[in-house]
Each structure stands twice: as C-alpha cells, then as structure tokens.
Amino acid sequence: MATIRLGDTAPDFTAETSQGTLNFYDYLGDGWGILFSHPADFTPVCTTELGTAAKFKGEFEKRNVKMMALSVDGAASHAEWIKDINETQNTVVNFPIIADEDRKVSDLYDMIHPNADDTLTVRSVFIVGPDKKVKLILTYPASTGRNFYELVRVIDSLQLTAHHKVATPANWEHGEKVVVSPSIPTEEAKEIFTKGVEEIKPYLRLTPDPTA
Ligand code: BEZ
C-alpha cells in the first residue's frame, strides 16, 4: 500500500456495495467523485454523517460529483444500518456504501491509521477529478463528524480553479472575490479578467468570481 498524495491517480477497484458490485471508475464515468470512509456501521456520528450525505446528494449532483461511502462491515449489515439511517435522519440513503469487510479498499486508500485504531477506518475523504487524479484529501478522527457544507465549498473551489487561473482565499464561497494566480503578471491579468483586477499588493490581486 502506497501513500496517496494530491495529483496521484486515484486507485481503481471493484467492490461489493449496498447497491451491488461496482467498479469505481465505471461508477464515476467522466465526472467528479467523492469517496469517504466511516469507522463502522451502527455508530452514532457515522449515522448522522450518512444521513447528511444523503441530504446533500442534490448539491453534489449539481456539481457532477458522484458519492461513494465505505465502512468495513458487510453488505447485510449495511442494509440493516441504512434502514436506521433513513429512519433516524429522516432521509433516504441514495448512494452506494462499500462493504469493505476484507479491508481491500481501506488498505488501497490507506484509510486505517493503526495508531488511531487498529481495525476501523478513520474519516477519510478523497475528491477525484474527471481525469481520475486525486484533487483533495481530508482526514478526520472517528470522534469528529465532517462538515458537508465544507465539502461542497471545496468542490466549488476545485472546479473553479480547474478552469480559471485563480485561487480561492480563506473562507471563500462561490460568488465571492477570488485571487489571481501568482504566476500571472498584473498586466496580463487585466486582459484575462475583464470584470476587473484590484491590486492590493503586487502578489495579492483580487478579481470577481469569473463564474458568478
Ligand atoms: C461514531 O461514528 O459515532 C464513532 C465511530 C467510532 C468511534 C467513535 C465514534
């Protein structure tokens, strides 16, 4: 198992899931993907996370992002747990959860951190671009549920910066001003960004979100 870093090709796999056997690349098609792991079935934080993920499916779909979750329990366990998630979180889990009993995908993506827990996965997030390269990695401990607003926000940034020569500043949200990429001279930036370029320092230039 090699460490996966940003820019690496996301490893492909075929796995049993709550929606049958799926191949990761086939499932993603030409779009973006988000793969996130959960420590175990029938645990409280994971239950809230998967319920929240289900409620966010529309936001991911709008951005052409397919969701796939993972837990190291089996498909029969997932099926029972999904009933609980739907009931308690008032939603319908509508994306596949990998049944990673043999730890194949967890190992492939280095989701088990033995100094945190020997057997359960940590809360990993991998965002994969249409080129199958890893664009973002997050790791949370079992005790801290993830913020799905942040996942959507970061996808907005990844998709914007994939197509425009900009970067997004701290706490940026879609529609707010963005930073001109440091590699672009200000004179050139003024030609590219017709909505205007505000030079605060030679290295700190702002321009309106080109997609807003
Ligand atoms: C949870 O999802 O609530 C959880 C799972 C493993 C350890 C701690 C919390």
Side-chain angles (χ1 to χ4, degrees):
M1 174 225 21
T3 305
I4 299 173
R5 294 178 174 161
L6 298 187
D8 290 354
T9 299
D12 193 20
F13 56 83
T14 297
E16 195 183 350
T17 81
S18 57
Q19 296 185 353
T21 303
L22 290 176
N23 173 264
F24 188 48
Y25 279 16
D26 289 347
Y27 173 73
L28 296 185
D30 296 331
W32 290 69
I34 180 165
L35 173 66
F36 44 98
S37 59
H38 298 272
D41 291 7
F42 300 104
T43 51
V45 177
C46 297
T47 299
T48 64
E49 283 194 319
L50 283 171
T52 303
K55 289 175 187 161
F56 271 72
K57 192 180 182 211
E59 292 302 318
F60 290 118
E61 274 177 354
K62 266 193 241 165
R63 294 161 175 84
N64 195 23
V65 181
K66 289 258 189 79
M67 309 158 74
M68 194 180 272
L70 175 149
S71 164
V72 293
D73 294 304
S77 167
H78 285 0
E80 288 307 308
W81 185 33
I82 285 169
K83 288 184 202 162
D84 279 7
I85 298 167
N86 292 346
E87 177 198 325
T88 62
Q89 307 304 305
N90 194 24
T91 189
V92 177
V93 172
N94 41 17
F95 52 85
I97 307 175
I98 299 169
D100 199 36
E101 273 185 302
D102 60 4
R103 319 290 200 256
K104 189 177 83 179
V105 180
S106 309
D107 284 342
L108 195 60
Y109 276 82
D110 197 17
M111 290 164 165
I112 294 176
H113 296 194
N115 290 327
D117 191 292
D118 271 349
T119 53
L120 304 180
T121 56
V122 291
R123 299 187 194 281
S124 298
V125 179
F126 292 87
I127 296 178
V128 179
D131 57 1
K132 305 292 183 289
K133 303 287 185 202
V134 175
K135 306 297 183 187
L136 180 117
I137 302 171
L138 284 173
T139 309
Y140 278 46
S143 51
T144 304
R146 285 156 287 197
N147 184 327
F148 282 74
Y149 293 105
E150 169 61 3
L151 297 181
V152 167
R153 188 195 77 87
V154 90
I155 287 165
D156 283 342
S157 172
L158 293 171
Q159 294 187 339
L160 175 69
T161 58
H163 295 109
H164 298 272
K165 292 177 176 172
V166 298
T168 60
N171 292 345
W172 174 86
E173 298 206 8
H174 173 71
E176 295 178 356
K177 285 180 186 173
V178 298
V179 165
V180 175
S181 292
S183 60
I184 305 176
T186 299
E187 283 318 303
E188 191 185 329
K190 286 178 180 163
E191 286 166 24
I192 297 173
F193 301 107
T194 51
K195 290 180 181 172
V197 174
E198 185 186 338
E199 188 179 76
I200 296 165
K201 292 279 181 193
Y203 61 85
L204 175 56
R205 289 89 36 93
L206 299 180
T207 188
D209 180 341
T211 63

